[in-house]
Amino acid sequence: MIKLFSLKQQKKDEESAGGNRTGAGGKKASAAQLRIQKDINELNLPKTCEINFPDDDDLLNFRLIISPDEGFYKGGKFVFSFKVGQGYPHDPPKVKCETMVYHPNIDLEGNVCLNILREDWKPVLTINSIIYGLQYLFLVSSFFTQRLAFVYGSSSNSQKTPTQTVAEFRGVRAVLTKNQNHN
């Protein structure tokens, strides 16, 4: 995990160096960079989520990994890429699901249908809000996913349960217990 300094500590360091708020290379940090740093410092990840920064110096591009511990998606590992633009926090980050998943709120290209990423975005929302929203999608979609999986399974004259259809589609090894019966 990367080391993240609080904004207060960074400001203190910059003041002691005699400079203004600057980013990498001596350039002034943008509002998006300052806000994302604040959001990440205040991040409170659920136990089913982890965050990964491919480039430690680039806080505007990162990955979120969600590993649900209940429901249809239990046992899965779903990777989301975040691209935070210079308009952040006034514009929402671009979030894409990189894992092929059978989900009513994620299309085949990985576009995520989450209201706070589109029409309900407000600058007061944070990265933490988006993470909890994404995690919530994997918890509440059970009913809709079950119905879609039933239709998908029925259309191919399959005798699969909805859980098996979802597990097969997402391409991960699913752990199906004998007690799971979602018909």
mmCIF file with all atom_site columns, all heavy atoms in Angstrom, residues 123-141:
data_model
loop_
_atom_site.group_PDB
_atom_site.id
_atom_site.type_symbol
_atom_site.label_atom_id
_atom_site.label_alt_id
_atom_site.label_comp_id
_atom_site.label_asym_id
_atom_site.label_entity_id
_atom_site.label_seq_id
_atom_site.pdbx_PDB_ins_code
_atom_site.Cartn_x
_atom_site.Cartn_y
_atom_site.Cartn_z
_atom_site.occupancy
_atom_site.B_iso_or_equiv
_atom_site.pdbx_formal_charge
_atom_site.auth_seq_id
_atom_site.auth_comp_id
_atom_site.auth_asym_id
_atom_site.auth_atom_id
_atom_site.pdbx_PDB_model_num
ATOM 1   N N   . PRO A 1 123 ? -20.959 17.671 -5.827 1.00 0.00 ? 123 PRO A N   1
ATOM 2   C CA  . PRO A 1 123 ? -19.565 17.852 -5.409 1.00 0.00 ? 123 PRO A CA  1
ATOM 3   C C   . PRO A 1 123 ? -19.278 17.444 -3.962 1.00 0.00 ? 123 PRO A C   1
ATOM 4   O O   . PRO A 1 123 ? -18.136 17.171 -3.621 1.00 0.00 ? 123 PRO A O   1
ATOM 5   C CB  . PRO A 1 123 ? -19.325 19.350 -5.605 1.00 0.00 ? 123 PRO A CB  1
ATOM 6   C CG  . PRO A 1 123 ? -20.284 19.752 -6.661 1.00 0.00 ? 123 PRO A CG  1
ATOM 7   C CD  . PRO A 1 123 ? -21.503 18.898 -6.426 1.00 0.00 ? 123 PRO A CD  1
ATOM 8   N N   . VAL A 1 124 ? -20.308 17.360 -3.130 1.00 0.00 ? 124 VAL A N   1
ATOM 9   C CA  . VAL A 1 124 ? -20.076 16.949 -1.740 1.00 0.00 ? 124 VAL A CA  1
ATOM 10  C C   . VAL A 1 124 ? -19.860 15.445 -1.616 1.00 0.00 ? 124 VAL A C   1
ATOM 11  O O   . VAL A 1 124 ? -19.377 14.968 -0.589 1.00 0.00 ? 124 VAL A O   1
ATOM 12  C CB  . VAL A 1 124 ? -21.235 17.373 -0.802 1.00 0.00 ? 124 VAL A CB  1
ATOM 13  C CG1 . VAL A 1 124 ? -21.355 18.872 -0.745 1.00 0.00 ? 124 VAL A CG1 1
ATOM 14  C CG2 . VAL A 1 124 ? -22.541 16.731 -1.211 1.00 0.00 ? 124 VAL A CG2 1
ATOM 15  N N   . LEU A 1 125 ? -20.203 14.682 -2.660 1.00 0.00 ? 125 LEU A N   1
ATOM 16  C CA  . LEU A 1 125 ? -19.966 13.242 -2.629 1.00 0.00 ? 125 LEU A CA  1
ATOM 17  C C   . LEU A 1 125 ? -18.474 12.960 -2.758 1.00 0.00 ? 125 LEU A C   1
ATOM 18  O O   . LEU A 1 125 ? -17.741 13.726 -3.381 1.00 0.00 ? 125 LEU A O   1
ATOM 19  C CB  . LEU A 1 125 ? -20.748 12.546 -3.741 1.00 0.00 ? 125 LEU A CB  1
ATOM 20  C CG  . LEU A 1 125 ? -22.271 12.606 -3.598 1.00 0.00 ? 125 LEU A CG  1
ATOM 21  C CD1 . LEU A 1 125 ? -22.948 12.044 -4.831 1.00 0.00 ? 125 LEU A CD1 1
ATOM 22  C CD2 . LEU A 1 125 ? -22.722 11.856 -2.356 1.00 0.00 ? 125 LEU A CD2 1
ATOM 23  N N   . THR A 1 126 ? -18.052 11.852 -2.194 1.00 0.00 ? 126 THR A N   1
ATOM 24  C CA  . THR A 1 126 ? -16.631 11.504 -2.175 1.00 0.00 ? 126 THR A CA  1
ATOM 25  C C   . THR A 1 126 ? -16.392 10.153 -2.835 1.00 0.00 ? 126 THR A C   1
ATOM 26  O O   . THR A 1 126 ? -17.342 9.441  -3.180 1.00 0.00 ? 126 THR A O   1
ATOM 27  C CB  . THR A 1 126 ? -16.114 11.431 -0.723 1.00 0.00 ? 126 THR A CB  1
ATOM 28  O OG1 . THR A 1 126 ? -16.807 10.365 -0.047 1.00 0.00 ? 126 THR A OG1 1
ATOM 29  C CG2 . THR A 1 126 ? -16.336 12.734 0.027  1.00 0.00 ? 126 THR A CG2 1
ATOM 30  N N   . ILE A 1 127 ? -15.139 9.792  -2.952 1.00 0.00 ? 127 ILE A N   1
ATOM 31  C CA  . ILE A 1 127 ? -14.767 8.467  -3.458 1.00 0.00 ? 127 ILE A CA  1
ATOM 32  C C   . ILE A 1 127 ? -15.357 7.398  -2.552 1.00 0.00 ? 127 ILE A C   1
ATOM 33  O O   . ILE A 1 127 ? -15.823 6.358  -3.016 1.00 0.00 ? 127 ILE A O   1
ATOM 34  C CB  . ILE A 1 127 ? -13.230 8.335  -3.554 1.00 0.00 ? 127 ILE A CB  1
ATOM 35  C CG1 . ILE A 1 127 ? -12.676 9.333  -4.583 1.00 0.00 ? 127 ILE A CG1 1
ATOM 36  C CG2 . ILE A 1 127 ? -12.817 6.910  -3.874 1.00 0.00 ? 127 ILE A CG2 1
ATOM 37  C CD1 . ILE A 1 127 ? -13.168 9.119  -6.000 1.00 0.00 ? 127 ILE A CD1 1
ATOM 38  N N   . ASN A 1 128 ? -15.379 7.658  -1.258 1.00 0.00 ? 128 ASN A N   1
ATOM 39  C CA  . ASN A 1 128 ? -15.961 6.715  -0.305 1.00 0.00 ? 128 ASN A CA  1
ATOM 40  C C   . ASN A 1 128 ? -17.431 6.454  -0.626 1.00 0.00 ? 128 ASN A C   1
ATOM 41  O O   . ASN A 1 128 ? -17.898 5.310  -0.564 1.00 0.00 ? 128 ASN A O   1
ATOM 42  C CB  . ASN A 1 128 ? -15.800 7.266  1.115  1.00 0.00 ? 128 ASN A CB  1
ATOM 43  C CG  . ASN A 1 128 ? -15.678 6.187  2.153  1.00 0.00 ? 128 ASN A CG  1
ATOM 44  O OD1 . ASN A 1 128 ? -15.026 5.167  1.923  1.00 0.00 ? 128 ASN A OD1 1
ATOM 45  N ND2 . ASN A 1 128 ? -16.290 6.403  3.294  1.00 0.00 ? 128 ASN A ND2 1
ATOM 46  N N   . SER A 1 129 ? -18.170 7.487  -1.007 1.00 0.00 ? 129 SER A N   1
ATOM 47  C CA  . SER A 1 129 ? -19.589 7.336  -1.378 1.00 0.00 ? 129 SER A CA  1
ATOM 48  C C   . SER A 1 129 ? -19.735 6.409  -2.579 1.00 0.00 ? 129 SER A C   1
ATOM 49  O O   . SER A 1 129 ? -20.634 5.564  -2.618 1.00 0.00 ? 129 SER A O   1
ATOM 50  C CB  . SER A 1 129 ? -20.198 8.691  -1.739 1.00 0.00 ? 129 SER A CB  1
ATOM 51  O OG  . SER A 1 129 ? -20.026 9.621  -0.729 1.00 0.00 ? 129 SER A OG  1
ATOM 52  N N   . ILE A 1 130 ? -18.859 6.582  -3.551 1.00 0.00 ? 130 ILE A N   1
ATOM 53  C CA  . ILE A 1 130 ? -18.916 5.751  -4.762 1.00 0.00 ? 130 ILE A CA  1
ATOM 54  C C   . ILE A 1 130 ? -18.596 4.301  -4.422 1.00 0.00 ? 130 ILE A C   1
ATOM 55  O O   . ILE A 1 130 ? -19.259 3.381  -4.892 1.00 0.00 ? 130 ILE A O   1
ATOM 56  C CB  . ILE A 1 130 ? -17.947 6.285  -5.828 1.00 0.00 ? 130 ILE A CB  1
ATOM 57  C CG1 . ILE A 1 130 ? -18.364 7.695  -6.254 1.00 0.00 ? 130 ILE A CG1 1
ATOM 58  C CG2 . ILE A 1 130 ? -17.903 5.356  -7.036 1.00 0.00 ? 130 ILE A CG2 1
ATOM 59  C CD1 . ILE A 1 130 ? -17.345 8.416  -7.103 1.00 0.00 ? 130 ILE A CD1 1
ATOM 60  N N   . ILE A 1 131 ? -17.591 4.089  -3.588 1.00 0.00 ? 131 ILE A N   1
ATOM 61  C CA  . ILE A 1 131 ? -17.210 2.725  -3.208 1.00 0.00 ? 131 ILE A CA  1
ATOM 62  C C   . ILE A 1 131 ? -18.365 2.017  -2.514 1.00 0.00 ? 131 ILE A C   1
ATOM 63  O O   . ILE A 1 131 ? -18.690 0.875  -2.839 1.00 0.00 ? 131 ILE A O   1
ATOM 64  C CB  . ILE A 1 131 ? -15.939 2.737  -2.337 1.00 0.00 ? 131 ILE A CB  1
ATOM 65  C CG1 . ILE A 1 131 ? -14.735 3.163  -3.187 1.00 0.00 ? 131 ILE A CG1 1
ATOM 66  C CG2 . ILE A 1 131 ? -15.708 1.372  -1.679 1.00 0.00 ? 131 ILE A CG2 1
ATOM 67  C CD1 . ILE A 1 131 ? -13.469 3.402  -2.408 1.00 0.00 ? 131 ILE A CD1 1
ATOM 68  N N   . TYR A 1 132 ? -19.011 2.700  -1.589 1.00 0.00 ? 132 TYR A N   1
ATOM 69  C CA  . TYR A 1 132 ? -20.154 2.084  -0.905 1.00 0.00 ? 132 TYR A CA  1
ATOM 70  C C   . TYR A 1 132 ? -21.314 1.855  -1.871 1.00 0.00 ? 132 TYR A C   1
ATOM 71  O O   . TYR A 1 132 ? -22.039 0.868  -1.768 1.00 0.00 ? 132 TYR A O   1
ATOM 72  C CB  . TYR A 1 132 ? -20.582 2.912  0.311  1.00 0.00 ? 132 TYR A CB  1
ATOM 73  C CG  . TYR A 1 132 ? -19.754 2.576  1.531  1.00 0.00 ? 132 TYR A CG  1
ATOM 74  C CD1 . TYR A 1 132 ? -18.644 3.333  1.864  1.00 0.00 ? 132 TYR A CD1 1
ATOM 75  C CD2 . TYR A 1 132 ? -20.069 1.485  2.333  1.00 0.00 ? 132 TYR A CD2 1
ATOM 76  C CE1 . TYR A 1 132 ? -17.864 3.024  2.963  1.00 0.00 ? 132 TYR A CE1 1
ATOM 77  C CE2 . TYR A 1 132 ? -19.308 1.162  3.436  1.00 0.00 ? 132 TYR A CE2 1
ATOM 78  C CZ  . TYR A 1 132 ? -18.205 1.934  3.751  1.00 0.00 ? 132 TYR A CZ  1
ATOM 79  O OH  . TYR A 1 132 ? -17.433 1.603  4.837  1.00 0.00 ? 132 TYR A OH  1
ATOM 80  N N   . GLY A 1 133 ? -21.500 2.752  -2.830 1.00 0.00 ? 133 GLY A N   1
ATOM 81  C CA  . GLY A 1 133 ? -22.535 2.565  -3.847 1.00 0.00 ? 133 GLY A CA  1
ATOM 82  C C   . GLY A 1 133 ? -22.265 1.339  -4.701 1.00 0.00 ? 133 GLY A C   1
ATOM 83  O O   . GLY A 1 133 ? -23.174 0.552  -4.990 1.00 0.00 ? 133 GLY A O   1
ATOM 84  N N   . LEU A 1 134 ? -21.005 1.155  -5.106 1.00 0.00 ? 134 LEU A N   1
ATOM 85  C CA  . LEU A 1 134 ? -20.642 -0.020 -5.906 1.00 0.00 ? 134 LEU A CA  1
ATOM 86  C C   . LEU A 1 134 ? -20.824 -1.300 -5.105 1.00 0.00 ? 134 LEU A C   1
ATOM 87  O O   . LEU A 1 134 ? -21.339 -2.302 -5.608 1.00 0.00 ? 134 LEU A O   1
ATOM 88  C CB  . LEU A 1 134 ? -19.199 0.095  -6.402 1.00 0.00 ? 134 LEU A CB  1
ATOM 89  C CG  . LEU A 1 134 ? -18.939 1.175  -7.447 1.00 0.00 ? 134 LEU A CG  1
ATOM 90  C CD1 . LEU A 1 134 ? -17.443 1.331  -7.684 1.00 0.00 ? 134 LEU A CD1 1
ATOM 91  C CD2 . LEU A 1 134 ? -19.659 0.850  -8.749 1.00 0.00 ? 134 LEU A CD2 1
ATOM 92  N N   . GLN A 1 135 ? -20.396 -1.269 -3.850 1.00 0.00 ? 135 GLN A N   1
ATOM 93  C CA  . GLN A 1 135 ? -20.551 -2.449 -3.007 1.00 0.00 ? 135 GLN A CA  1
ATOM 94  C C   . GLN A 1 135 ? -22.036 -2.780 -2.833 1.00 0.00 ? 135 GLN A C   1
ATOM 95  O O   . GLN A 1 135 ? -22.432 -3.947 -2.880 1.00 0.00 ? 135 GLN A O   1
ATOM 96  C CB  . GLN A 1 135 ? -19.893 -2.229 -1.654 1.00 0.00 ? 135 GLN A CB  1
ATOM 97  C CG  . GLN A 1 135 ? -19.965 -3.462 -0.775 1.00 0.00 ? 135 GLN A CG  1
ATOM 98  C CD  . GLN A 1 135 ? -19.533 -3.201 0.648  1.00 0.00 ? 135 GLN A CD  1
ATOM 99  O OE1 . GLN A 1 135 ? -19.663 -2.102 1.154  1.00 0.00 ? 135 GLN A OE1 1
ATOM 100 N NE2 . GLN A 1 135 ? -19.028 -4.228 1.283  1.00 0.00 ? 135 GLN A NE2 1
ATOM 101 N N   . TYR A 1 136 ? -22.851 -1.769 -2.679 1.00 0.00 ? 136 TYR A N   1
ATOM 102 C CA  . TYR A 1 136 ? -24.283 -1.950 -2.503 1.00 0.00 ? 136 TYR A CA  1
ATOM 103 C C   . TYR A 1 136 ? -24.912 -2.631 -3.722 1.00 0.00 ? 136 TYR A C   1
ATOM 104 O O   . TYR A 1 136 ? -25.843 -3.430 -3.577 1.00 0.00 ? 136 TYR A O   1
ATOM 105 C CB  . TYR A 1 136 ? -24.929 -0.586 -2.237 1.00 0.00 ? 136 TYR A CB  1
ATOM 106 C CG  . TYR A 1 136 ? -26.386 -0.640 -1.861 1.00 0.00 ? 136 TYR A CG  1
ATOM 107 C CD1 . TYR A 1 136 ? -26.794 -1.174 -0.642 1.00 0.00 ? 136 TYR A CD1 1
ATOM 108 C CD2 . TYR A 1 136 ? -27.358 -0.150 -2.722 1.00 0.00 ? 136 TYR A CD2 1
ATOM 109 C CE1 . TYR A 1 136 ? -28.124 -1.220 -0.298 1.00 0.00 ? 136 TYR A CE1 1
ATOM 110 C CE2 . TYR A 1 136 ? -28.698 -0.188 -2.385 1.00 0.00 ? 136 TYR A CE2 1
ATOM 111 C CZ  . TYR A 1 136 ? -29.076 -0.729 -1.166 1.00 0.00 ? 136 TYR A CZ  1
ATOM 112 O OH  . TYR A 1 136 ? -30.403 -0.779 -0.830 1.00 0.00 ? 136 TYR A OH  1
ATOM 113 N N   . LEU A 1 137 ? -24.399 -2.329 -4.911 1.00 0.00 ? 137 LEU A N   1
ATOM 114 C CA  . LEU A 1 137 ? -24.927 -2.965 -6.125 1.00 0.00 ? 137 LEU A CA  1
ATOM 115 C C   . LEU A 1 137 ? -24.842 -4.489 -6.050 1.00 0.00 ? 137 LEU A C   1
ATOM 116 O O   . LEU A 1 137 ? -25.688 -5.192 -6.586 1.00 0.00 ? 137 LEU A O   1
ATOM 117 C CB  . LEU A 1 137 ? -24.154 -2.493 -7.361 1.00 0.00 ? 137 LEU A CB  1
ATOM 118 C CG  . LEU A 1 137 ? -24.414 -1.087 -7.858 1.00 0.00 ? 137 LEU A CG  1
ATOM 119 C CD1 . LEU A 1 137 ? -23.545 -0.807 -9.077 1.00 0.00 ? 137 LEU A CD1 1
ATOM 120 C CD2 . LEU A 1 137 ? -25.872 -0.873 -8.181 1.00 0.00 ? 137 LEU A CD2 1
ATOM 121 N N   . PHE A 1 138 ? -23.801 -4.995 -5.420 1.00 0.00 ? 138 PHE A N   1
ATOM 122 C CA  . PHE A 1 138 ? -23.632 -6.443 -5.327 1.00 0.00 ? 138 PHE A CA  1
ATOM 123 C C   . PHE A 1 138 ? -24.474 -7.061 -4.225 1.00 0.00 ? 138 PHE A C   1
ATOM 124 O O   . PHE A 1 138 ? -24.612 -8.274 -4.153 1.00 0.00 ? 138 PHE A O   1
ATOM 125 C CB  . PHE A 1 138 ? -22.156 -6.799 -5.124 1.00 0.00 ? 138 PHE A CB  1
ATOM 126 C CG  . PHE A 1 138 ? -21.342 -6.569 -6.359 1.00 0.00 ? 138 PHE A CG  1
ATOM 127 C CD1 . PHE A 1 138 ? -20.541 -5.453 -6.481 1.00 0.00 ? 138 PHE A CD1 1
ATOM 128 C CD2 . PHE A 1 138 ? -21.405 -7.455 -7.420 1.00 0.00 ? 138 PHE A CD2 1
ATOM 129 C CE1 . PHE A 1 138 ? -19.802 -5.226 -7.628 1.00 0.00 ? 138 PHE A CE1 1
ATOM 130 C CE2 . PHE A 1 138 ? -20.681 -7.235 -8.576 1.00 0.00 ? 138 PHE A CE2 1
ATOM 131 C CZ  . PHE A 1 138 ? -19.875 -6.126 -8.678 1.00 0.00 ? 138 PHE A CZ  1
ATOM 132 N N   . LEU A 1 139 ? -25.056 -6.251 -3.362 1.00 0.00 ? 139 LEU A N   1
ATOM 133 C CA  . LEU A 1 139 ? -25.886 -6.778 -2.290 1.00 0.00 ? 139 LEU A CA  1
ATOM 134 C C   . LEU A 1 139 ? -27.367 -6.738 -2.629 1.00 0.00 ? 139 LEU A C   1
ATOM 135 O O   . LEU A 1 139 ? -28.095 -7.678 -2.341 1.00 0.00 ? 139 LEU A O   1
ATOM 136 C CB  . LEU A 1 139 ? -25.639 -5.995 -0.998 1.00 0.00 ? 139 LEU A CB  1
ATOM 137 C CG  . LEU A 1 139 ? -24.219 -6.050 -0.459 1.00 0.00 ? 139 LEU A CG  1
ATOM 138 C CD1 . LEU A 1 139 ? -24.080 -5.154 0.764  1.00 0.00 ? 139 LEU A CD1 1
ATOM 139 C CD2 . LEU A 1 139 ? -23.816 -7.471 -0.129 1.00 0.00 ? 139 LEU A CD2 1
ATOM 140 N N   . VAL A 1 140 ? -27.845 -5.659 -3.243 1.00 0.00 ? 140 VAL A N   1
ATOM 141 C CA  . VAL A 1 140 ? -29.277 -5.500 -3.483 1.00 0.00 ? 140 VAL A CA  1
ATOM 142 C C   . VAL A 1 140 ? -29.739 -6.067 -4.810 1.00 0.00 ? 140 VAL A C   1
ATOM 143 O O   . VAL A 1 140 ? -30.922 -6.179 -5.039 1.00 0.00 ? 140 VAL A O   1
ATOM 144 C CB  . VAL A 1 140 ? -29.715 -4.026 -3.400 1.00 0.00 ? 140 VAL A CB  1
ATOM 145 C CG1 . VAL A 1 140 ? -29.466 -3.472 -2.039 1.00 0.00 ? 140 VAL A CG1 1
ATOM 146 C CG2 . VAL A 1 140 ? -29.070 -3.211 -4.474 1.00 0.00 ? 140 VAL A CG2 1
ATOM 147 N N   . SER A 1 141 ? -28.835 -6.432 -5.666 1.00 0.00 ? 141 SER A N   1
ATOM 148 C CA  . SER A 1 141 ? -29.240 -6.870 -6.995 1.00 0.00 ? 141 SER A CA  1
ATOM 149 C C   . SER A 1 141 ? -29.641 -8.341 -7.035 1.00 0.00 ? 141 SER A C   1
ATOM 150 O O   . SER A 1 141 ? -29.988 -8.844 -8.083 1.00 0.00 ? 141 SER A O   1
ATOM 151 C CB  . SER A 1 141 ? -28.110 -6.631 -7.987 1.00 0.00 ? 141 SER A CB  1
ATOM 152 O OG  . SER A 1 141 ? -27.053 -7.519 -7.700 1.00 0.00 ? 141 SER A OG  1
#
